Structure formats: structure tokens, C-alpha cells
Amino acid sequence: MTITCISPIDGSIYATRPVLNEFEAAEAVAKGKAAQVAWAARPLRERIDLVLKGVANVGAMNDEIVPELAWQMGRPIRYGGEFGGFDERARHMAGIAEAALADIALEDSDSFRRMIKRVPHGLILVVAPWNYPYMTAINTVAPALIAGNAVMLKHASQTPLVGERMAQAFRAAGVPEDVFQNVFLTHQTTSALIADRAFGFVNFTGSVGGGRAMEAAAKGTFTGLGLELGGKDPGYVMEDADLDAAVETLMDGAMFNSGQCCCGIERIYVTERHFDAFVAKAVKIVEGYTLGNPLDPETTLGPMAQVRFADTVRSQTADAVAAGAKALIDPALFPQDSGAYLMPQILVDVDHSMRVMREESFGPVVGIMPVQDDAHAIRLMNDSDYGLTASLWTQNTARAEAIGDSIETGTVFMNRADYLDPGLCWTGCKDTGRGGGLSVIGYHNLTRPKSYHLKKV
């Protein structure tokens, strides 16, 4: 049995890979668990240095990686890939490792030595998505390895070359082959391994349905899960906002990567005073995009990763228009709109009865609504099954923090959007999932506390 990557550029088969059968998968687990013991026994500084060498090796491959990403998931080459964020996140986690993993000393007296250590879970499964395949993977891979865990990376079938590249880079750096394994598994085999307690922890980034499958597989095993699932992230533009900055940032957050961003902006609420001006500026920005082949340096908007993803957004948009929404972008500006190539769209006269304002779109469409005041905006922002990020636009920090306290979300941004700060915990609530990555808290989730109460004779 194999997995296949169909390129969104032209519908051709870009890569196929054989999957491990259950016996081969169990053997890989056994190798990982055995290798982890010696890896955890290495000095922390040595593990950090080897991981950073692996990260640097990925950077050395970037000229090859960028077009590979275009072929696999459609991101235009003009944006240069993901190494900037990949490197930033890994380096931050390396930089805080000694403090984050340090023993918590309570007492070292003549009578007692009492402390809490952070110890690795053992073997960790990382299930990574295709939309930002390097950055989402490194969020867990780097700190997991640094903390002394072994890692099995199962990447999305849309981006099979990513895991291979990472495994090659880390192996060349000196990380033992069995400590960091790239594997191709079916959903059935993955679930069977989880149910068999193969892993000390599982980190999954993907759909809500995928998260439910992970929980179902782990039921009764007490395996720790980190789940980053869907999103419907809002932006709120207040009367004292820098309007030009708000429009530019929020529209980039909505449309970049063809809208295929975990924390992309999918709905925007604008104070009534600025609504017309905001919409006019937003339309002008989007009309300037170029939809086309991502291998062309002039392309600013590539295809979506799969035709069915584009068709989902088309369906949401059509339903909204049929229910009274108004589409503001002229299709004549985007003649290549077919198949995986999806033109960007801005919708007004929308409301929360429409799918496009409630379901995750994960594509280049955004609905914009006027709001009367903060209370109205808060009510609409919270009227969602998801909670990953929210972007607030105001000059008043205290106001933003107060509104943030009332929003059901994982991260509150002020005057920015669609960014992952590795010093902060990346987390969500409601159907967005549970757990948290990066920051000190990321290390806490990738290890377990172990207490020592040593009475001296």
C-alpha cells in the first residue's frame, strides 16, 4: 500500500511512498523506544547542539525545498519557504531549554534532598499537517528531542518529502537514526499503535475529525495528547485603529498561503465608522493579487492544496451569496479560477447564519461585518465553535487586554495577526483543541514531572 501526493499545480502525481505494515510499524516503535534511553542519557547541551545542527542542515537545503513545497502544496516560490520561522522556533526552544527543564529544588539540607525533575515521556508521535509542514513539525520535534524523547514523525500525505528532508538533515547532524524516524503510516495503523500504548505522547495538528480519531484511539490508554485542530479566527477593528495597517495586515492574514493558515483571519468585524473605508481598501488590495502557477515568481496566490478544499470554499461562498451576501471581487480579474486554483473573495452583507461565517474555510475568502461597539464585537467573536487566535486593532492596550479577557481564544493579538511567537504558548480552546506547544509550557507538555524525596541517614 502507498500514499500519493497529487500536485495542485497540474494534478500530476508528484510523489508516492510505501506505508509501513503493522509489523514494520511495531518494529519502528521498538527501535525508537530502545534508542531513546541512550539519547536521554546524553548531556542536555549535546542534545541541543545536535538539534540545532539538524535545523541548520534543513536551511542548507532551502533552495531545493522551496520548489518542492510549491509542487506538493502550492505555495508560491516568491515567499522563500518556511526556514525563517522554522529556525526561529527551534532556536528559541533551544535557548530556553536549560531553564525550562531544570530541576525544581525545594530542599538540600542535612536531613533531606527534595526536588522535582522533568523527565521525557519516551517515544513521541508527531502527526504534522501540510499547510506549514516544516514550521508545524519543528514546533514539537525540536523541543521533544532536546528534552530527551525519541520522535516518530508522520507527515501529511500531501507533503511526504518534508519528513524525509528533516530526517535526512537531523541524521547528518548526528542525531541517531532510530531517535528521529520519519514514517509513512495509514490512519488504521496509526490508531492501532496509539491504542497499543506505543507512544508516551502524541501531538496532532489537523482537522477536528482527525482530533476526534486520535482521542478515540487513545481512549483508555492514558496517553497524553496535544491537539491543534480547526479555527475561525476573527479580527476586530476599533474606531481608534490605524486603518491602513489594519486592512493590510488582516487581508494578508486572510489570503496568504491561499488562506491555508491555522491562524489565518476568516472573519472581520469593523466598527461602523470605518466599515465602508475598510472594505474599499480591502477590495483594492485583493484586486492586486496574481493567481497562478506557484513556480512563477510573479504569482502571489497559488492553488489550494487539493481540488476538494477549493470546492468546499466555493460551496460556502455560493451558499452565502444565495442567502443574501454580496461578493465584491470580480471573477474577471482571476481567469485561472478552476480546479485547485481558487480566486480570492471578500463577502459583505454576511451574518452568522451562513456557513462561511461559522465553518472553517481554510481558503482565500473572508466575510466582513460592521459592529456597533465592543460588546457587539465580543459577542460575535465568541459565537464560534473554535478558539485559536483573535486580532484586535486599537491604540489602547488596556482596552485590548480587557476585550481579550472576554474572548474565548488561545492567543490575543493587538495590531498584528497570523504570527506564532515561540516565547508564548501556542494553544486553543473549544473545537480548536487542547494542550499547548512552544514556550516553557511546551516543554512541560513534552515531559512529565518526577518527584524525589530523599531522606539522608
Side-chain angles (χ1 to χ4, degrees):
M1 186 174 179
T2 61
I3 61 166
T4 302
C5 169
I6 304 296
S7 176
I9 290 180
D10 58 7
S12 64
I13 295 176
Y14 183 67
T16 59
R17 296 292 186 272
V19 299
L20 301 182
N21 60 37
E22 291 192 11
F23 174 80
E24 293 167 331
E27 189 175 53
V29 166
K31 288 180 178 179
K33 287 182 174 180
Q36 183 270 331
V37 178
W39 174 250
R42 294 195 186 194
L44 174 59
R45 186 70 253 173
E46 183 178 331
R47 297 197 302 266
I48 291 171
D49 289 344
L50 290 174
V51 167
L52 289 180
K53 285 179 183 177
V55 169
N57 286 346
V58 172
M61 302 174 182
N62 201 52
D63 288 346
E64 301 164 79
I65 285 173
V66 170
E68 284 178 357
L69 286 175
W71 278 105
Q72 289 174 96
M73 49 75 65
R75 186 184 305 124
I77 60 170
R78 68 178 290 139
Y79 298 116
E82 301 176 27
F83 185 69
F86 181 89
D87 185 61
E88 178 190 25
R89 297 173 189 188
R91 289 192 175 278
H92 178 84
M93 295 306 286
I96 67 170
E98 291 185 1
L101 297 170
D103 298 345
I104 302 172
L106 279 74
E107 179 182 358
D108 193 3
S109 67
D110 291 340
S111 301
F112 292 98
R113 177 167 167 77
R114 296 184 299 134
M115 60 188 168
I116 303 167
K117 293 187 177 185
R118 307 264 2 152
V119 300
H121 288 299
L123 179 61
I124 288 180
L125 175 65
V126 179
V127 184
W130 51 263
N131 63 319
Y132 281 92
Y134 282 94
M135 289 197 290
T136 51
I138 203 63
N139 290 351
T140 306
V141 169
L145 290 172
I146 288 171
N149 297 286
V151 171
M152 286 180 61
L153 173 61
K154 175 189 180 297
H155 228 296
S157 58
Q158 193 66 41
T159 45
L161 275 62
V162 174
E164 291 180 339
R165 285 284 189 185
M166 289 181 63
Q168 176 188 350
F170 280 73
R171 186 165 58 249
V175 176
E177 184 174 356
D178 292 338
V179 167
F180 179 32
Q181 300 179 73
N182 176 62
V183 295
F184 299 106
L185 304 171
T186 65
H187 296 327
Q188 181 180 357
T189 300
T190 303
S191 294
L193 290 174
I194 295 171
D196 198 37
R197 303 177 188 249
F199 309 107
F201 187 83
V202 176
N203 192 86
F204 172 80
T205 305
S207 68
V208 174
R212 290 196 179 104
M214 291 288 170
E215 285 198 325
K219 183 179 180 180
T221 68
F222 307 113
T223 301
L225 296 176
L227 303 172
E228 184 198 329
L229 311 175
K232 195 72 182 174
D233 292 6
Y236 171 34
V237 181
M238 298 170 227
E239 67 277 358
D240 65 338
D242 180 331
L243 194 60
D244 287 336
V247 174
E248 182 178 349
T249 302
L250 290 174
M251 295 315 299
D252 183 65
M255 302 297 173
F256 186 77
N257 206 36
S258 298
Q260 299 168 132
C261 302
C262 300
C263 56
I265 297 296
E266 297 213 358
R267 49 199 175 108
I268 300 174
Y269 307 103
V270 183
T271 183
E272 291 173 328
R273 180 191 305 179
H274 294 318
F275 181 78
D276 290 340
F278 183 97
V279 169
K281 290 173 182 289
V283 168
K284 186 175 181 180
I285 288 172
V286 173
E287 286 177 342
Y289 290 158
T290 299
L291 174 65
N293 189 318
L295 297 172
D296 183 345
E298 298 302 312
T299 294
T300 57
L301 204 66
M304 295 189 68
Q306 294 183 18
V307 173
R308 67 183 178 92
F309 300 155
D311 286 344
T312 294
V313 180
R314 289 188 179 101
S315 174
Q316 290 178 342
T317 302
D319 285 355
V321 170
K326 184 178 180 181
L328 300 182
I329 305 302
D330 185 353
L333 296 173
F334 298 94
Q336 197 169 341
D337 179 34
S338 64
Y341 291 83
L342 177 64
M343 66 168 284
Q345 190 54 269
I346 294 172
L347 300 172
V348 294
D349 298 334
V350 290
D351 60 53
H352 279 215
S353 70
M354 299 174 182
R355 292 169 55 209
V356 76
M357 295 299 285
R358 301 199 64 83
E359 296 178 1
E360 184 174 36
S361 298
F362 220 60
V365 63
V366 66
I368 308 177
M369 292 177 63
V371 292
Q372 300 162 2
D373 53 27
D374 290 350
H376 187 197
I378 290 168
R379 186 166 65 252
L380 289 172
M381 285 190 282
N382 284 340
D383 184 27
S384 173
D385 292 333
Y386 302 104
L388 185 57
T389 78
S391 177
L392 309 179
W393 288 81
T394 175
Q395 303 302 313
N396 189 327
T397 304
R399 181 182 181 186
E401 186 172 347
I403 293 171
D405 289 343
S406 299
I407 301 172
E408 297 161 350
T409 190
T411 295
V412 178
F413 290 117
M414 177 177 133
N415 298 334
R416 76 177 311 170
D418 192 20
Y419 171 70
L420 194 158
D421 180 346
L424 299 176
C425 183
W426 191 243
T427 186
C429 61
K430 300 193 280 190
D431 281 1
T432 289
R434 70 183 191 192
L438 298 175
S439 76
V440 172
I441 293 173
Y443 273 117
H444 288 181
N445 287 331
L446 294 169
T447 57
R448 65 178 180 88
K450 187 174 184 179
S451 295
Y452 289 75
H453 192 122
L454 309 177
K455 182 178 180 181
K456 299 179 180 179
V457 176

